[in-house]
Amino acid sequence: MLASELQNLGVLSRRLSGTELNALMNQLFPHHLGHYLGLDTHDTVLIDRNVPLAPGMVITIEPGVYIPQTFKPSNSKMAKELGGTGIRLEDDVVVTEGGAEVLNKGCPEIVEEVTQLISSSQ
């Protein structure tokens, strides 16, 4: 889904598919969709990703795309302009008996909201 959206935006060529597309996505999306949260944010690296989620567990959902300064595939129009940029949206989620609860619900997520929050605190 992420790869097709990057193709729709013109970041990646629509002609890419299969192994070539996967290789480029590994460069742009170098981490998994999220991870467990512990007492220290990343202290849960020893927990296998195949452990079923259970009530009380806390995880992140954090899709991110990072375009390295050196990322210049010949078939991408926008990569030169976007080189060195990145974006990640993160939600922290606790697993409950009935599903999940987003812990940071209501926090600013879009540029205008963040800008307004920063401006109002000065």
Side-chain angles (χ1 to χ4, degrees):
M1 183 171 154
L2 188 55
S4 64
E5 284 303 315
L6 290 173
Q7 288 176 315
N8 290 340
L9 291 169
V11 176
L12 298 176
S13 169
R14 290 180 187 267
R15 293 179 298 219
L16 292 172
S17 64
T19 305
E20 190 177 19
L21 182 58
N22 287 337
L24 286 174
M25 286 306 298
N26 285 336
Q27 291 178 42
L28 302 179
F29 186 64
H31 55 75
H32 296 278
L33 184 59
H35 55 81
Y36 299 104
L37 284 177
L39 296 176
D40 181 11
T41 303
H42 297 98
D43 70 351
T44 56
V45 295
L46 299 177
I47 298 176
D48 189 305
R49 290 185 176 271
N50 295 320
V51 172
L53 295 177
M57 289 180 150
V58 181
I59 60 170
T60 67
I61 307 294
E62 53 179 310
V65 175
Y66 308 93
I67 303 175
Q69 193 69 43
T70 57
F71 182 73
K72 294 179 173 73
S74 59
N75 53 10
S76 175
K77 298 173 190 171
M78 296 177 69
K80 184 176 180 182
E81 297 170 15
L82 295 175
T85 63
I87 185 168
R88 179 178 80 193
L89 301 174
E90 180 171 336
D91 282 324
D92 298 332
V93 179
V94 62
V95 180
T96 65
E97 290 290 341
E101 178 184 344
V102 178
L103 298 173
N104 55 309
K105 185 177 182 177
C107 289
E109 292 184 340
I110 60 173
V111 173
E112 293 81 11
E113 292 173 339
V114 173
T115 302
Q116 182 180 7
L117 178 65
I118 292 170
S119 296
S120 67
S121 66
Q122 295 178 353

